[in-house]
């Protein structure tokens, strides 16, 4: 299958392909996708993550309106200056 077709699939569809026929695994994957935000688009330098100091969840590397690197928590929304890696 071509790369475009694979990229066009939703995150849920891609994860469900890994579940096989296990109803338990499929239910866990669906619950996970529904409870977590979409990751940011994959850029030329990949996706950068760090740990949230407030809730210890994953922080996604982003850029603010001025282009400065920041990290945004996927759970509580905490925002901090990025530690690095988004040069």
């Amino acid at each position: 299958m071509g790369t475009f077709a694979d990229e066009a699939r939703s995150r849920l569809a891609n994860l469900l392909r890994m579940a096989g026929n296990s109803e338990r695994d499929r239910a866990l994957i669906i619950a996970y996708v529904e409870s977590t935000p979409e990751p940011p688009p994959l850029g030329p330098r990949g996706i950068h993550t760090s740990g949230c100091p407030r809730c210890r969840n994953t922080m996604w590397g982003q850029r603010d309106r001025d282009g400065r690197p920041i990290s945004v928590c996927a759970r509580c929304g905490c925002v901090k200056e990025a530690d690095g890696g988004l040069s």
Side-chain angles (χ1 to χ4, degrees):
M1 182 173 302
T3 304
F4 176 76
D6 195 42
E7 290 176 358
R9 283 194 176 102
S10 70
R11 177 172 70 137
L12 176 60
N14 281 321
L15 291 172
L16 285 175
R17 286 177 47 210
M18 294 185 275
N21 294 327
S22 168
E23 288 301 318
R24 180 182 172 275
D25 289 347
R26 295 176 73 78
L28 289 171
I29 288 171
I30 290 168
Y32 166 76
V33 170
E34 289 175 349
S35 67
T36 59
E38 291 290 321
L42 182 63
R45 292 183 171 91
I47 295 176
H48 299 277
T49 62
S50 62
C52 178
R54 188 183 304 164
C55 72
R56 297 180 177 231
N57 200 36
T58 301
M59 296 188 89
W60 299 104
Q62 302 281 328
R63 292 200 177 272
D64 67 11
R65 286 184 231 192
D66 298 323
R68 293 183 299 253
I70 59 172
S71 293
V72 181
C73 181
R75 177 181 293 155
C76 71
C78 176
V79 178
K80 69 174 189 165
E81 288 184 27
D83 298 330
L86 285 178
S87 55

